[in-house]
Amino acid sequence: MTGDQDELEGQFAQWRHYVQRRRALRSTDVEELEDHLRGSVDELVAAGLRADEAFLVAVKRMGSLDELSREFAREHSERLWKQLVLTGGDDDPASGGRARRDLRAMVLCAAGAAVSVKAPELFGLDLDRDEAFYALNAGLLTLPWLAGFLAWRRRAGRALVGLLVAWFALGAVAANAYPLADDSQSLVVTCVHLPLALWFAVGLAYVADDPRSPRRRMDFIRFTGEWFVYSVLIALGGGVLTAFTFGTFEAIGISPEGFVSRWLLPCGAAAAVVVAGWLVEVKQGVVENIAPVLTRLFTPLFTAALLAFLVALVVTGDGIDVEREVLILFDLLLVVVLGLLLYSTSARDPLAPPGPFDRLQLALVAAALAIDVVVLVEITGRITEYGTTPNKAAALGENAVLLVNLAWSAWLVLGLVRRRVPFAALERWQTNYLPVYAVWAWVVVLVFPPVFGYL
């Protein structure tokens, strides 16, 4: 009986951990739900069911946890609206004080990012004239401030802060030590891969409170998607602001072009990097995250598009033109597919049985895997026939890294659909594979310029 009770308590702990990720629910709400669940389990055990059977039946009776969180949010609408305002958290004075401290820290870091973008002008550099410098150093001028805000919020230790400083210092060396010409292919691949390598430093700051936890790494994946969505929304709002600025000032005979191009756009874009991260932090989990909703919408659309492309490829018999723009397009397509898989994984109920959406995901991943194989074959053929370049070598490595992830993910999703692989295995694989992308990005940034030449 003791073993059964320990196992049951483990199941309650797993359920409680899952429910606590619904930010619309406060701790008192979670306790109320757990009391209800425990009472239902006790009744079922008294009726003759085993403890594990009683737990599963009781959870099933409670229904969808997402529906329950929305129900609680509707019943406590006053609290929900307080969560939605910029400085609100709940009625707890301590939480309100923390929200105000977070706001002040965000403003400070956003201002630091804006100043950093203008600081190179003190050394004679110009945004219009020195485009290569700003393209290489864009991530170095902004992402350290976002990482600093997250590290401060997570109360990162000195060792981790030192690691972050070393990480960004290495990025600064990689961006500025090599004499790359403006038309160099190594310049292009460095501009693409260095922000990716630096983004993992942001991830390290994000998981500073528990770096070894797969759950925290999955949280960072969710953070990345939400950050991107908020960044796009801020950019759209910034476009409207710019249009109104031009229209109103030109109406009185003043041209704001210089102010907009030299101050508003670069400083606003740099500050938005930090502001978007802060918005994700204070708004995450309020009723429903944005990225998982978009995932549900676009997964069937991308699946149809990829399958249509494969059918057209077979019918026409034409190969893929592996020029630089095409390679970037296919790599972005595969990354988007992987992102859809990651976000559907992060939003999925781990206790839910396999359903139609899981089968749709399997079709999506299988189609992406087939396209990745075709692209790899084309790139390898071109390299064998014409030799390699930084673009082709980078594309070859990226597609090989994606191939491994897509292949094993397809196998795990197939096992999930066939009820032979637990959902936790898919989540664990995705989070454990993240460092591979960081390693490859650093290889491209640090090794490619001297190997392929600086010009």
Side-chain angles (χ1 to χ4, degrees):
M1 288 297 293
T2 302
D4 292 341
Q5 186 63 31
D6 291 341
E7 182 179 353
L8 181 61
E9 288 300 325
Q11 290 176 312
F12 275 118
Q14 182 182 9
W15 177 88
R16 186 166 52 251
H17 168 71
Y18 178 68
V19 175
Q20 286 171 343
R21 289 164 59 178
R22 268 59 182 168
R23 292 296 183 91
L25 301 176
R26 290 191 298 189
S27 58
T28 54
D29 300 329
V30 176
E31 291 173 1
E32 181 181 341
L33 284 173
E34 185 174 354
D35 287 341
H36 177 72
L37 180 62
R38 286 182 179 274
S40 181
V41 170
D42 290 340
E43 291 177 2
L44 292 169
V45 170
L49 291 180
R50 295 202 313 268
D52 56 343
E53 296 174 339
F55 178 82
L56 294 176
V57 172
V59 169
K60 184 67 175 178
R61 286 179 177 179
M62 290 185 68
S64 169
L65 292 177
D66 289 320
E67 292 176 3
L68 287 172
S69 65
R70 284 192 287 270
E71 180 181 341
F72 268 95
R74 285 193 296 269
E75 291 180 359
H76 304 278
S77 57
E78 181 182 358
R79 181 218 311 166
L80 174 61
W81 282 110
K82 287 181 179 179
Q83 283 182 285
L84 290 172
V85 299
L86 290 179
T87 59
D90 50 37
D91 295 328
D92 185 359
S95 297
R98 178 59 190 268
R100 288 189 290 272
R101 290 194 297 272
D102 286 350
L103 178 60
R104 289 194 292 267
M106 180 276 293
V107 171
L108 180 63
C109 291
V115 171
S116 296
V117 170
K118 301 298 294 182
E121 295 184 5
L122 299 175
F123 302 93
L125 296 169
D126 184 81
L127 186 61
D128 296 326
R129 187 178 62 251
D130 301 291
E131 294 180 355
F133 171 83
Y134 280 95
L136 285 169
N137 290 274
L140 290 164
L141 296 174
T142 56
L143 293 182
W145 295 99
L146 175 58
F149 169 71
L150 294 173
W152 173 84
R153 200 168 190 272
R154 300 292 189 276
R155 295 181 173 88
R158 292 183 179 179
L160 192 141
V161 171
L163 180 59
L164 291 176
V165 172
W167 196 300
F168 284 110
L170 181 62
V173 172
N176 299 287
Y178 298 134
L180 301 177
D182 290 349
D183 58 349
S184 168
Q185 288 191 15
S186 295
L187 174 67
V188 175
V189 296
T190 300
C191 290
V192 172
H193 290 83
L194 183 57
L196 176 62
L198 297 178
W199 186 252
F200 283 92
V202 176
L204 187 60
Y206 186 89
V207 302
D209 50 348
D210 192 3
R212 297 183 180 181
S213 170
R215 178 185 63 84
R216 295 297 292 142
R217 292 196 290 269
M218 183 58 74
D219 288 342
F220 174 64
I221 293 173
R222 280 189 288 268
F223 172 86
T224 300
E226 297 291 323
W227 176 88
F228 176 76
V229 172
Y230 278 116
S231 296
V232 171
L233 294 176
I234 292 173
L236 293 174
V240 174
L241 173 63
T242 302
F244 274 111
T245 301
F246 266 98
T248 53
F249 277 85
E250 286 183 344
I252 58 175
I254 299 176
S255 175
E257 182 177 356
F259 168 75
V260 170
S261 62
R262 298 188 64 84
W263 289 93
L264 181 61
L265 290 181
C267 293
V273 172
V274 180
V275 174
W278 169 73
L279 285 173
V280 177
E281 286 287 277
V282 298
K283 300 296 153 229
Q284 60 182 341
V286 176
V287 181
E288 189 70 72
N289 286 339
I290 298 175
V293 175
L294 296 179
T295 298
R296 287 277 177 173
L297 174 65
F298 283 103
T299 292
L301 299 178
F302 270 89
T303 303
L306 265 61
L307 292 175
F309 172 79
L310 289 174
V311 171
L313 190 66
V314 173
V315 171
T316 61
D318 295 334
I320 297 176
D321 182 14
V322 288
E323 296 299 325
R324 182 176 70 187
E325 293 77 9
V326 177
L327 292 177
I328 293 175
L329 173 63
F330 275 100
D331 286 343
L332 287 176
L333 175 63
L334 295 175
V335 168
V336 169
V337 170
L338 192 59
L340 291 173
L341 174 64
L342 287 171
Y343 277 96
S344 60
T345 301
S346 69
R348 189 183 188 279
D349 183 350
L351 300 176
F357 191 78
D358 296 306
R359 298 181 181 88
L360 184 64
Q361 275 192 309
L362 179 59
L364 176 66
V365 176
L369 181 60
I371 292 176
D372 195 3
V373 171
V374 172
V375 173
L376 273 173
V377 171
E378 292 287 347
I379 295 174
T380 303
R382 288 298 183 94
I383 291 177
T384 302
E385 186 174 357
Y386 300 107
T388 187
T389 63
N391 288 331
K392 292 177 183 177
L396 181 67
E398 283 149 16
N399 281 274
V401 170
L402 288 170
L403 179 70
V404 174
N405 196 358
L406 289 170
W408 192 246
S409 296
W411 176 256
L412 292 175
V413 176
L414 176 62
L416 178 65
V417 169
R418 299 173 66 183
R419 301 174 184 264
R420 295 182 178 180
V421 173
F423 170 77
L426 177 62
E427 188 176 41
R428 188 164 52 249
W429 163 255
Q430 296 295 349
T431 57
N432 290 341
Y433 198 74
L434 287 177
V436 178
Y437 298 110
V439 170
W440 175 249
W442 279 119
V443 168
V444 173
V445 169
L446 296 174
V447 178
F448 273 36
V451 169
F452 289 99
Y454 301 125
L455 301 178

